[in-house]
Amino acid sequence: MNEIKKYSNGDITIVWKPHVCSHSTKCWKGLVEVFDPFKRPWITPENSTTEKIINQVKQCPSGALSYLINDEER
Ligand code: SF4
């Protein structure tokens, strides 16, 4: 089964599908305070605003990133 990872700051939940990620580096070049591949966990939504996270998630070229607000996938 393909793994799905979720990272929440209590407001927004970032959903990451590792098997879909093309490692384009776009997310961590755009918002390294949230997406840092050298840290564990590598996604820390508490380090930025919901608005910035949404903007960055939308730029993921592979569709590996999405987000949930009130448990609804966007
Ligand atoms: S932007 Fe998307 S495809 Fe690129 S590294 Fe991040 S999660 Fe993976």
Side-chain angles (χ1 to χ4, degrees):
M1 202 178 86
N2 288 326
E3 198 179 9
I4 296 176
K5 300 253 191 187
K6 292 182 180 176
Y7 307 85
S8 180
N9 66 3
D11 183 28
I12 186 169
T13 300
I14 299 173
V15 181
W16 181 56
K17 298 175 181 141
H19 58 284
V20 177
C21 178
S22 61
H23 305 284
S24 69
T25 75
K26 201 158 180 146
C27 55
W28 57 269
K29 287 192 172 154
L31 196 62
V32 74
E33 56 269 43
V34 173
F35 301 97
D36 187 339
F38 299 106
K39 286 188 185 161
R40 290 292 175 269
W42 82 280
I43 298 180
T44 50
E46 62 273 26
N47 290 339
S48 189
T49 65
T50 295
E51 190 184 356
K52 282 189 186 173
I53 290 169
I54 290 172
N55 283 338
Q56 192 60 51
V57 164
K58 284 182 173 169
Q59 292 176 49
C60 173
S62 68
L65 290 177
S66 58
Y67 62 93
L68 302 167
I69 290 180
N70 299 329
D71 287 335
E72 196 180 307
E73 192 159 5
R74 314 274 172 118

